[in-house]
Amino acid sequence: MGNCCERLGPQKNTYVRVSLPAVCLVWQIAMIILFGVFIRYGKESDAHWVEYKHKNNLTDIDNDFYFRYPSFQDVHVMIFVGFGFLMTFLKRYSYGGVGFNFLIASFGLQWALLMQGWFHSLDLDTGKIYIGVENIINADFCCAGSLIAFGALLGKVSPVQLMVVTLFGVTLFAVEEYIILELLHCRDAGGSMVIHCFGGYYGLAISWVLYRPNLHQSKQLHGSNYHSDLFAMIGTLFLWMFWPSFNSAIADHGDGQHRAFINTYIALASSVLTAVALSSMFHKRGKLDMVHIQNATLAGAVAMGTAAEFMITPYGALIVGFCMGIISTFGFVFVTPFLEKTLKLQDTCGIHNLHAVPGMLGGFLGAVVAAAASEDVYSKEGLINVFDKEGKYANRGMGTQGGYQAAGTCVSIAFGLVGGAIVGFILKIPIWGDAADDHCFDDEAYWELPEEEEETLPPVLEYNNHMIHKGQDITESSFCVEQS
Amino acid sequence: MGNCCERLGPQKNTYVRVSLPAVCLVWQIAMIILFGVFIRYGKESDAHWVEYKHKNNLTDIDNDFYFRYPSFQDVHVMIFVGFGFLMTFLKRYSYGGVGFNFLIASFGLQWALLMQGWFHSLDLDTGKIYIGVENIINADFCCAGSLIAFGALLGKVSPVQLMVVTLFGVTLFAVEEYIILELLHCRDAGGSMVIHCFGGYYGLAISWVLYRPNLHQSKQLHGSNYHSDLFAMIGTLFLWMFWPSFNSAIADHGDGQHRAFINTYIALASSVLTAVALSSMFHKRGKLDMVHIQNATLAGAVAMGTAAEFMITPYGALIVGFCMGIISTFGFVFVTPFLEKTLKLQDTCGIHNLHAVPGMLGGFLGAVVAAAASEDVYSKEGLINVFDKEGKYANRGMGTQGGYQAAGTCVSIAFGLVGGAIVGFILKIPIWGDAADDHCFDDEAYWELPEEEEETLPPVLEYNNHMIHKGQDITESSFCVEQS
Amino acid sequence: MGNCCERLGPQKNTYVRVSLPAVCLVWQIAMIILFGVFIRYGKESDAHWVEYKHKNNLTDIDNDFYFRYPSFQDVHVMIFVGFGFLMTFLKRYSYGGVGFNFLIASFGLQWALLMQGWFHSLDLDTGKIYIGVENIINADFCCAGSLIAFGALLGKVSPVQLMVVTLFGVTLFAVEEYIILELLHCRDAGGSMVIHCFGGYYGLAISWVLYRPNLHQSKQLHGSNYHSDLFAMIGTLFLWMFWPSFNSAIADHGDGQHRAFINTYIALASSVLTAVALSSMFHKRGKLDMVHIQNATLAGAVAMGTAAEFMITPYGALIVGFCMGIISTFGFVFVTPFLEKTLKLQDTCGIHNLHAVPGMLGGFLGAVVAAAASEDVYSKEGLINVFDKEGKYANRGMGTQGGYQAAGTCVSIAFGLVGGAIVGFILKIPIWGDAADDHCFDDEAYWELPEEEEETLPPVLEYNNHMIHKGQDITESSFCVEQS
């Protein structure tokens, strides 16, 4: 069994005992200092609210907390359980999937509060960022971009690299979001553009730069088993169920949140049916593939991100979901293998099909729906309200708004691709502790695994794999292997 | 091992590559057309709300979204994670449990928005159905009826059959609900009658018609394993925790929702203790049975569905939970085997004990509590408010109301039994791709399973698969064990 | 292999067929009687609310239900899925972890409604306890104390003993809570003192009295496997995500809830980074340990329980999380083994590091933050509001308040240690059906396990079981593997 221990044993190049603690501690200390300098409670979360409330004849229920906190909690579940468990599908990288997701989201949301604060909420008089529930939701959103990128890299990078991906991902996110939402004055409540399209292309660009020509050497671990796919379904379902909250969390109070949730709910239902239909149709025996059920069923919501708060109509939402279920499943079956073969693009979770393309299409869809908006459909006040036609934007025509929305989508793609390529090159520096091509998708590298791991691997297969790898000679007697 | 491979191999009769995609795509297109013709945003989810709000001196918080959305999300989790994971308990049908639940609920909620809309919310002037959060909750509720029926059929029907079960289930639901709530003017906030009683008898009737005399040939897969039972506990707990939201989701604003949640919360706690007590008592060595913990603990909430918003008193709720935990566990231990033996009724999940009987008893309980209602207990306004004693029902006596409630329960049973029998006969047509009696409870039929399936099957099978793959020479004698 | 079968076989001393049903049924009947005598709907959940509302010019949204129900549901998930699944990490005690948690929390919340009602909400005129959503949240909180204690005892006690632990735990909780919150007039919204500190020391004292000198005989089951650790992560994440709701659930309406959630959210993020850093740093090869990720990541929220609603500032919350992640991980690595060795204290889940110490530190932290509170920071009205400086407490200085807070922490420790020691001695009476030292951590004792349990045990054992069942003849040579 000595050899066996070697196989499962440490890989020199994945030693992160210095770099991982250093990055976590130093960056966390930096967060504390920056929070100390910049972050303060917002008006509605400060103890002064009691006086403010009395002065302005408000009641407690007017506090934004009661409008947004339930949606926040749903978003929070999506970020940590949704994304986290969706990435447990690999049979021996489930800890990495859910654990590193946990780590980088926890860092990302802190950094996002600062980055988004500087760009969106900085009070120029006091130099402080005043935070409340909406900032917190946006911080979770901002993390989502980096978590999407993680999907493309799953199993191939070290936790230290993921921290770097998140540091730059959040930074780029805050800048592109500022350009899209503030400078171009686009609407993007559910983040088709700023979250999914950006996050998708960001991850794909990094993965493209980090291409591993010999990844096939890890193929015995590059797949799921019966229960790991079931764990991943937990992630899928929590994403699917709570996506109506995601798209409505920061929509306008009242009808805006109400409509955004309905549109997303409807689009998602439709995606499930077409994803199932295509999954069965593309299999030679008509069987369903868990990869499609876990992912393509969600594509409708990604594409509804921008348009969810618009008057896209319920049947419009159904059509979006219908098309996205088809496009996404098609992508998993044909496009991802094609990209890997021709573009040398390795995309572990298929974020191309769930985030990049549906996000991009959602951005353009939002442009079209915005351009088609009219006072007939929205009412005069409604149109102003939905598209924030105030101040210098009061006279912007809806066609122009559509053009700006389309431009916003292009900005997000550009930020994703260029930013991702740069970050990819940074990650190629051989100091980050990533595994060799033949040791990817293996929790062994970064996790102390339970001793009884034999329990979930088939003993003889293990043994034989071992034999094959190590070229060990086996006589009959060697089947007297003992469980350690 | 040849036989073994055959066993796991493809079954001609479960080929759904044409029928499943056809049903999904055609029905989804039909939904789009019908939504296009009929469904529009409701007053509170339309962009015109801003003007409406100003005219009526409302504020955003008055939007029904804020009264019901948190409850909706809990209900949504119950439908997809609760029901879905509860049905993962079979060791090799977990994908089917959670996956087909996902599929049919996604179809059912769309069809429910239409069917319930036509019966309850159709604006006769415009011919449109205007939807908002309450319609969405009701659509989820309506699905629940068909998901309950799925519980009786789990592992024995094809996904195409389940789509048919859902199509008719939602249709029948909308009609019986119209009769019970509108024509008989019953109250049934948590759906003991319209959801559980109907859904339970609907599923039992279908299963009775589809009786499989040789189902024992699949008995080696008709059971759980250690981790599949743990996955099922996820379903149980999310159902259990969120049932207070289920029963209060469409109760009256204010005290109605508040009281419905408290009653359900209390009844559920009581069910757990009696389910545990009986489970231990009925086992010859006093051990607990996961089937009872997963199911009978929920029975109190089913029976509280109708009476949850009434003034049943907290100790009344405790008594209901107490009795239901006992009745339901008793049902699992004695009644289900008895029904299978004498009535030829195969009920995979035991919905008879969790939904049919508790739902029926809950309906009659509601009748009794309604009949006993008085102005002393409810206050004059309270009585009007709780029982909607308005218009032509203003003078209906409480005894009469109780009679109507009891009649409503009978209507739901009748719809379940008759409707289920008819649907059962439709499903007997041999075109639906269901598995043979000796291939039930097996995901292999409809799912592309991970290659490493050996991991969860006995080791010798593994070994032999491996041998076949690797062409390794092994003496026959050492591996004579066959999977039973 | 005969011994092996014996090992898995029934143990006479774990026979609970009489005691468990008796305790469950008798105590449940007692609850019904006591509820009948004492518990009534509160003003806001009674049908009279409609008249009350009209008299007082209130609207439905003013009902406390809408302020607290979303937080309640999150807390409820923490109690049943959070605590429940966190305790599934043992490879063969997952049913016991989640199932007994379910049982005792269901009992505890009923008893808590009574105990807390008598101490906090008894209407002296009518002799009744009027309940609403806040009482329900507090009942869930009260259970948490006993569930924490369960963590120290996991795998070593019988379900009957756990019922006793809960009976006394809830009782002691209600008394110490009364002393701390009412007599000492402390603030403790998230329960660092009354829940975590008390629950932690209560469990540790019980475990200390129940020391098992030969527990090492069960060491083969005293660990996790790959999937049991993943199930535990479900618990961790739901605790982590919903802890902001836990700490804000009963905080003041408006800014109080808003601020408590933000502080907790921030502290938790910080804990994750330091827990990861220390986990990697303390491992000789820099690998992460699931125990730390599952537990130490939560420590920041425990310590923020008292101070969450204070103006601790966002960076203050970050610092708390930072320190707690370090202290808690350090505790798991060094202190728990040290306590076991020197104090003979066996603490299965390490509640010392997650609840006892962070709770105690959180109590003292709250004392310091309270002592430092000033009108500058809180505003005049804000200070009164946050610290309930009303009636006879209007003139209590903030330094004095800090002293009382510190005294409250000491009270909770004392109640935990003394109460736990007494309960421990009660549990030593040999009538409770707990397992012998060599049969701990084994669901076999109290659960009917699936027949195919071989699937998760090593293959040769399976084979032998099979052999015994089938009476098949097999040559000795082929099966020389032993389970260790």
Side-chain angles (χ1 to χ4, degrees):
Chain A
M1 280 316 278
N3 304 46
C4 186
C5 291
E6 253 172 51
R7 185 187 70 80
L8 296 171
Q11 304 304 316
K12 267 185 198 127
N13 59 344
T14 59
Y15 186 81
V16 292
R17 194 180 175 186
V18 175
S19 54
L20 182 60
V23 164
C24 288
L25 291 178
V26 171
W27 293 9
Q28 185 59 58
I29 291 169
M31 291 299 116
I32 291 173
I33 295 168
L34 290 169
F35 269 55
V37 176
F38 289 105
I39 304 233
R40 295 292 178 274
Y41 298 119
K43 191 177 59 189
E44 298 182 305
S45 56
D46 192 288
H48 286 81
W49 159 259
V50 186
E51 297 195 341
Y52 177 86
K53 179 181 71 173
H54 289 159
K55 263 184 219 149
N56 293 273
N57 269 324
L58 297 172
T59 63
D60 282 325
I61 200 80
D62 295 312
N63 196 303
D64 199 31
F65 180 80
Y66 301 104
F67 287 88
R68 305 212 184 273
Y69 190 68
S71 306
F72 156 69
Q73 273 297 3
D74 295 347
V75 171
H76 212 40
V77 172
M78 292 175 70
I79 297 296
F80 289 90
V81 160
F83 280 104
F85 271 88
L86 188 59
M87 291 196 270
T88 59
F89 75 98
L90 290 169
K91 70 184 127 185
R92 293 303 282 179
Y93 204 74
S94 303
Y95 291 9
V98 70
F100 296 155
N101 183 81
F102 193 19
L103 171 64
I104 64 174
S106 295
F107 165 66
L109 62 88
Q110 298 177 50
W111 181 227
L113 279 173
L114 285 162
M115 282 300 302
Q116 293 186 314
W118 288 321
F119 277 99
H120 296 277
S121 321
L122 191 66
D123 184 309
L124 294 175
D125 292 335
T126 61
K128 305 294 181 201
I129 300 161
Y130 296 96
I131 61 171
V133 63
E134 195 168 337
N135 303 68
I136 302 277
I137 294 172
N138 274 313
D140 270 23
F141 277 3
C142 188
C143 291
S146 300
L147 300 183
I148 290 166
F150 178 26
L153 309 172
L154 187 70
K156 302 177 295 179
V157 292
S158 77
V160 185
Q161 286 178 308
L162 287 171
M163 291 291 282
V164 175
V165 166
T166 307
L167 179 75
F168 286 100
V170 167
T171 308
L172 290 162
F173 183 103
V175 177
E176 57 110 26
E177 188 193 37
Y178 177 72
I179 295 171
I180 294 171
L181 301 189
E182 307 284 330
L183 301 187
L184 302 179
H185 196 66
C186 297
R187 300 291 296 169
D188 193 17
S192 290
M193 298 185 274
V194 299
I195 301 169
H196 299 287
C197 183
F198 164 74
Y201 286 107
Y202 178 60
L204 292 174
I206 297 172
S207 193
W208 179 74
V209 175
L210 296 182
Y211 179 68
R212 288 171 172 273
N214 299 311
L215 191 60
H216 59 86
Q217 291 173 359
S218 293
K219 78 174 173 189
Q220 82 282 4
L221 292 181
H222 189 185
S224 63
N225 64 26
Y226 195 71
H227 279 164
S228 72
D229 263 334
L230 214 44
F231 279 111
M233 276 305 288
I234 297 173
T236 296
L237 286 176
F238 276 101
L239 287 172
W240 194 92
M241 297 181 303
F242 287 162
W243 219 301
S245 299
F246 192 94
N247 284 351
S248 67
I250 56 163
D252 288 330
H253 287 181
D255 65 290
Q257 288 192 278
H258 204 148
R259 188 167 54 252
F261 122 71
I262 291 176
N263 287 332
T264 311
Y265 172 90
I266 286 174
L268 280 163
S270 183
S271 280
V272 175
L273 271 85
T274 51
V276 166
L278 276 271
S279 183
S280 173
M281 202 186 280
F282 286 146
H283 186 280
K284 64 181 190 296
R285 313 201 56 82
K287 294 183 183 184
L288 300 173
D289 189 324
M290 262 289 168
V291 172
H292 310 152
I293 307 304
Q294 283 160 10
N295 292 280
T297 52
L298 300 165
V302 173
M304 285 302 297
T306 302
E309 61 173 345
F310 301 162
M311 293 285 286
I312 191 171
T313 74
Y315 61 91
L318 270 190
I319 294 170
V320 171
F322 186 92
C323 298
M324 286 301 143
I326 291 173
I327 291 170
S328 186
T329 312
F330 183 87
F332 279 100
V333 177
F334 297 110
V335 182
T336 295
F338 175 83
L339 292 178
E340 177 152 4
K341 205 170 156 195
T342 59
L343 281 190
K344 307 294 181 200
L345 178 56
Q346 291 155 336
D347 177 6
T348 312
C349 291
I351 62 166
H352 177 268
N353 316 300
L354 177 51
H355 296 283
V357 169
M360 178 185 66
L361 294 177
F364 292 125
L365 172 74
V368 172
V369 178
S374 69
E375 286 191 7
D376 276 4
V377 174
Y378 288 75
S379 83
K380 192 171 159 56
E381 277 189 71
L383 198 63
I384 294 168
N385 188 46
V386 170
F387 291 96
D388 269 354
K389 290 166 71 70
E390 284 163 355
K392 63 179 173 180
Y393 304 105
N395 295 317
R396 185 192 272 185
M398 291 319 299
T400 315
Q401 177 69 28
Y404 277 103
Q405 298 273 151
T409 310
C410 299
V411 169
S412 72
I413 297 172
F415 262 80
L417 290 178
V418 176
I422 295 167
V423 172
F425 281 107
I426 294 172
L427 297 182
K428 288 199 96 166
I429 306 168
I431 57 169
W432 305 112
D434 47 323
D437 286 3
D438 58 342
H439 287 81
C440 287
F441 313 120
D442 193 347
D443 275 334
E444 187 63 32
Y446 307 109
W447 295 86
E448 173 70 19
L449 294 183
E451 287 178 15
E452 292 80 355
E453 82 174 85
E454 302 92 284
E455 289 188 11
T456 53
L457 283 183
V460 177
L461 180 61
E462 261 171 49
Y463 188 82
N464 282 276
N465 279 347
H466 178 68
M467 181 176 64
I468 288 156
H469 291 143
K470 301 290 175 187
Q472 204 180 349
D473 196 355
I474 291 173
T475 59
E476 199 59 27
S477 64
S478 25
F479 275 95
C480 312
V481 181
E482 283 189 12
Q483 192 186 17
S484 60
Chain B
M1 281 315 283
N3 305 41
C4 188
C5 291
E6 256 171 49
R7 189 189 68 76
L8 295 172
Q11 303 304 316
K12 268 183 198 129
N13 60 343
T14 58
Y15 187 80
V16 292
R17 193 179 177 188
V18 175
S19 55
L20 182 59
V23 163
C24 289
L25 291 177
V26 171
W27 293 8
Q28 186 59 58
I29 291 169
M31 289 301 114
I32 292 173
I33 295 169
L34 290 169
F35 268 56
V37 176
F38 289 104
I39 303 231
R40 296 293 178 273
Y41 298 122
K43 191 176 57 190
E44 298 181 305
S45 56
D46 192 288
H48 286 81
W49 159 260
V50 185
E51 298 195 340
Y52 177 86
K53 179 182 69 173
H54 290 158
K55 265 183 218 148
N56 292 274
N57 270 324
L58 299 172
T59 63
D60 283 325
I61 200 81
D62 295 312
N63 196 303
D64 199 30
F65 180 81
Y66 301 103
F67 286 88
R68 304 212 183 275
Y69 191 69
S71 306
F72 156 69
Q73 272 298 3
D74 294 348
V75 171
H76 212 40
V77 172
M78 292 174 70
I79 298 296
F80 289 89
V81 160
F83 280 104
F85 271 88
L86 188 59
M87 290 195 270
T88 58
F89 75 98
L90 290 170
K91 69 185 127 186
R92 293 302 284 179
Y93 204 75
S94 303
Y95 291 9
V98 69
F100 296 154
N101 183 80
F102 193 18
L103 171 64
I104 65 175
S106 296
F107 165 67
L109 62 88
Q110 298 178 50
W111 181 227
L113 279 173
L114 285 162
M115 281 300 301
Q116 293 185 314
W118 287 323
F119 277 98
H120 296 276
S121 322
L122 191 65
D123 184 309
L124 293 176
D125 292 335
T126 60
K128 305 295 182 200
I129 300 160
Y130 296 96
I131 61 171
V133 63
E134 194 168 338
N135 302 69
I136 302 276
I137 294 171
N138 274 313
D140 270 23
F141 278 4
C142 188
C143 292
S146 299
L147 301 183
I148 290 164
F150 178 27
L153 308 172
L154 186 71
K156 302 178 294 180
V157 293
S158 75
V160 185
Q161 287 178 307
L162 287 172
M163 291 291 282
V164 176
V165 166
T166 308
L167 179 75
F168 286 100
V170 167
T171 309
L172 290 162
F173 184 102
V175 177
E176 57 110 26
E177 186 192 37
Y178 177 73
I179 294 172
I180 294 170
L181 300 190
E182 307 284 330
L183 301 187
L184 302 179
H185 196 67
C186 296
R187 302 290 297 167
D188 194 17
S192 290
M193 298 186 273
V194 300
I195 300 170
H196 299 287
C197 184
F198 163 74
Y201 286 107
Y202 178 60
L204 292 173
I206 297 173
S207 193
W208 179 73
V209 174
L210 296 182
Y211 179 67
R212 288 171 172 273
N214 298 311
L215 191 61
H216 59 86
Q217 292 173 359
S218 295
K219 78 175 172 189
Q220 80 282 4
L221 292 181
H222 190 184
S224 62
N225 64 26
Y226 195 71
H227 279 164
S228 73
D229 263 333
L230 213 45
F231 279 110
M233 276 305 288
I234 297 173
T236 296
L237 287 176
F238 276 101
L239 287 172
W240 194 92
M241 296 180 304
F242 287 163
W243 218 302
S245 299
F246 193 93
N247 284 352
S248 67
I250 57 163
D252 288 329
H253 287 182
D255 64 290
Q257 287 192 280
H258 204 146
R259 189 167 54 252
F261 122 71
I262 291 175
N263 287 332
T264 311
Y265 172 90
I266 286 173
L268 280 163
S270 183
S271 280
V272 174
L273 270 84
T274 51
V276 166
L278 275 272
S279 183
S280 173
M281 201 186 281
F282 286 147
H283 186 280
K284 66 180 188 297
R285 313 202 57 81
K287 294 184 182 183
L288 301 173
D289 189 324
M290 263 287 169
V291 172
H292 310 152
I293 307 305
Q294 284 160 11
N295 292 279
T297 50
L298 300 164
V302 173
M304 284 303 297
T306 302
E309 61 174 344
F310 301 162
M311 294 285 287
I312 192 171
T313 73
Y315 61 91
L318 270 190
I319 294 170
V320 172
F322 186 92
C323 298
M324 286 300 142
I326 291 174
I327 291 170
S328 187
T329 312
F330 183 87
F332 279 100
V333 176
F334 298 110
V335 182
T336 295
F338 176 81
L339 291 178
E340 177 153 2
K341 203 169 157 196
T342 59
L343 281 191
K344 308 294 181 198
L345 178 55
Q346 291 155 335
D347 177 6
T348 312
C349 292
I351 62 166
H352 177 269
N353 316 304
L354 177 51
H355 297 282
V357 167
M360 180 184 66
L361 295 177
F364 291 126
L365 171 74
V368 171
V369 179
S374 69
E375 286 191 8
D376 276 4
V377 175
Y378 288 76
S379 83
K380 191 170 160 56
E381 277 188 72
L383 197 64
I384 293 169
N385 188 45
V386 170
F387 292 96
D388 270 354
K389 290 166 70 72
E390 283 163 356
K392 63 179 174 179
Y393 303 106
N395 296 317
R396 186 191 271 185
M398 292 320 298
T400 315
Q401 178 68 28
Y404 277 104
Q405 298 273 149
T409 310
C410 299
V411 168
S412 73
I413 297 172
F415 262 80
L417 289 177
V418 176
I422 294 169
V423 172
F425 282 108
I426 293 171
L427 296 183
K428 287 201 96 167
I429 306 168
I431 57 169
W432 304 113
D434 47 322
D437 285 3
D438 57 342
H439 288 81
C440 288
F441 312 120
D442 193 348
D443 274 334
E444 185 64 33
Y446 307 110
W447 295 86
E448 174 70 19
L449 295 182
E451 284 178 17
E452 293 81 353
E453 79 174 86
E454 305 91 277
E455 289 187 10
T456 53
L457 283 183
V460 176
L461 178 63
E462 276 166 35
Y463 186 83
N464 281 276
N465 279 347
H466 178 70
M467 180 176 66
I468 288 156
H469 293 145
K470 301 289 177 189
Q472 208 177 345
D473 198 353
I474 284 165
T475 59
E476 197 63 27
S477 65
S478 3
F479 297 94
C480 41
V481 183
E482 281 188 13
Q483 191 188 19
S484 59
Chain C
M1 283 314 285
N3 304 40
C4 187
C5 292
E6 254 170 52
R7 188 188 68 78
L8 296 171
Q11 301 305 317
K12 268 183 200 128
N13 59 342
T14 59
Y15 186 81
V16 291
R17 193 180 176 186
V18 174
S19 55
L20 182 59
V23 165
C24 289
L25 291 177
V26 171
W27 293 9
Q28 185 59 58
I29 291 168
M31 289 300 116
I32 292 173
I33 295 168
L34 291 169
F35 268 55
V37 175
F38 289 104
I39 304 231
R40 296 292 179 273
Y41 298 121
K43 192 176 57 188
E44 297 181 305
S45 56
D46 191 289
H48 286 80
W49 158 259
V50 186
E51 298 195 341
Y52 177 85
K53 177 181 71 173
H54 290 160
K55 263 182 220 150
N56 293 274
N57 270 325
L58 298 173
T59 63
D60 282 325
I61 201 79
D62 295 312
N63 196 302
D64 199 32
F65 180 80
Y66 301 103
F67 286 88
R68 304 211 183 275
Y69 190 69
S71 307
F72 157 69
Q73 273 298 2
D74 295 347
V75 170
H76 212 39
V77 171
M78 292 174 70
I79 297 295
F80 289 90
V81 161
F83 280 104
F85 272 88
L86 188 60
M87 290 195 270
T88 59
F89 76 98
L90 290 170
K91 69 184 129 185
R92 294 302 285 178
Y93 205 74
S94 303
Y95 290 10
V98 70
F100 296 154
N101 183 81
F102 192 19
L103 170 65
I104 65 175
S106 296
F107 165 67
L109 62 87
Q110 299 178 48
W111 182 226
L113 279 173
L114 286 161
M115 281 301 301
Q116 292 185 313
W118 287 323
F119 277 99
H120 296 278
S121 322
L122 192 66
D123 184 310
L124 294 176
D125 292 333
T126 61
K128 305 295 180 200
I129 300 159
Y130 297 96
I131 62 171
V133 63
E134 195 168 336
N135 302 70
I136 303 277
I137 294 171
N138 274 314
D140 269 23
F141 277 3
C142 187
C143 291
S146 299
L147 301 183
I148 290 165
F150 178 26
L153 309 172
L154 186 70
K156 301 178 294 180
V157 292
S158 76
V160 185
Q161 286 177 307
L162 287 172
M163 290 291 282
V164 176
V165 166
T166 308
L167 179 75
F168 286 100
V170 167
T171 308
L172 290 161
F173 183 103
V175 178
E176 57 110 25
E177 186 193 37
Y178 176 73
I179 295 170
I180 294 170
L181 301 190
E182 307 284 330
L183 301 187
L184 302 179
H185 195 67
C186 297
R187 302 289 296 167
D188 193 17
S192 289
M193 298 185 273
V194 299
I195 301 171
H196 299 288
C197 184
F198 164 74
Y201 285 106
Y202 178 60
L204 292 173
I206 297 173
S207 193
W208 180 73
V209 174
L210 296 182
Y211 179 68
R212 288 170 173 274
N214 299 311
L215 191 60
H216 59 85
Q217 292 173 358
S218 293
K219 78 174 172 189
Q220 81 282 5
L221 293 180
H222 190 185
S224 62
N225 64 25
Y226 195 71
H227 279 164
S228 72
D229 263 333
L230 214 44
F231 278 110
M233 276 304 287
I234 297 173
T236 297
L237 286 176
F238 276 101
L239 287 172
W240 194 91
M241 296 181 304
F242 288 163
W243 219 302
S245 298
F246 192 93
N247 284 353
S248 67
I250 57 164
D252 287 330
H253 287 183
D255 64 290
Q257 288 192 279
H258 205 147
R259 188 168 55 253
F261 122 71
I262 291 175
N263 287 332
T264 311
Y265 171 92
I266 286 174
L268 281 163
S270 182
S271 280
V272 175
L273 270 84
T274 50
V276 166
L278 275 272
S279 182
S280 174
M281 201 185 282
F282 286 147
H283 186 280
K284 65 180 187 301
R285 313 202 58 82
K287 294 184 182 184
L288 300 173
D289 189 323
M290 263 289 169
V291 171
H292 310 152
I293 308 303
Q294 284 161 10
N295 292 280
T297 52
L298 300 164
V302 172
M304 285 302 297
T306 301
E309 61 174 345
F310 301 162
M311 295 284 288
I312 192 171
T313 73
Y315 62 91
L318 271 190
I319 293 169
V320 172
F322 185 92
C323 298
M324 286 301 142
I326 290 173
I327 291 169
S328 187
T329 311
F330 184 87
F332 279 100
V333 177
F334 297 109
V335 181
T336 294
F338 175 82
L339 291 178
E340 179 153 1
K341 204 169 156 195
T342 59
L343 281 191
K344 308 292 181 198
L345 178 55
Q346 291 155 337
D347 177 6
T348 312
C349 292
I351 63 166
H352 177 268
N353 316 302
L354 177 51
H355 297 282
V357 169
M360 179 185 66
L361 295 178
F364 291 126
L365 171 73
V368 173
V369 178
S374 68
E375 286 192 8
D376 276 4
V377 174
Y378 287 75
S379 82
K380 191 171 159 58
E381 277 189 70
L383 197 64
I384 293 169
N385 189 46
V386 170
F387 291 96
D388 270 354
K389 290 167 70 71
E390 284 163 355
K392 63 181 174 177
Y393 304 106
N395 296 317
R396 184 191 273 185
M398 292 320 298
T400 315
Q401 178 68 27
Y404 277 104
Q405 298 273 149
T409 310
C410 300
V411 169
S412 73
I413 297 171
F415 262 79
L417 289 178
V418 175
I422 295 167
V423 172
F425 282 107
I426 294 172
L427 296 183
K428 287 199 96 165
I429 306 168
I431 57 168
W432 304 112
D434 48 323
D437 285 4
D438 57 344
H439 288 81
C440 288
F441 312 119
D442 193 348
D443 275 333
E444 186 64 32
Y446 307 110
W447 295 87
E448 174 69 19
L449 296 182
E451 285 179 17
E452 293 80 355
E453 79 174 85
E454 305 92 276
E455 291 187 9
T456 53
L457 284 183
V460 175
L461 178 62
E462 274 168 38
Y463 185 83
N464 282 277
N465 280 348
H466 179 71
M467 180 174 68
I468 288 154
H469 292 144
K470 302 288 177 188
Q472 212 173 340
D473 198 355
I474 286 165
T475 61
E476 196 62 27
S477 64
S478 6
F479 297 95
C480 41
V481 183
E482 280 187 16
Q483 191 187 17
S484 63

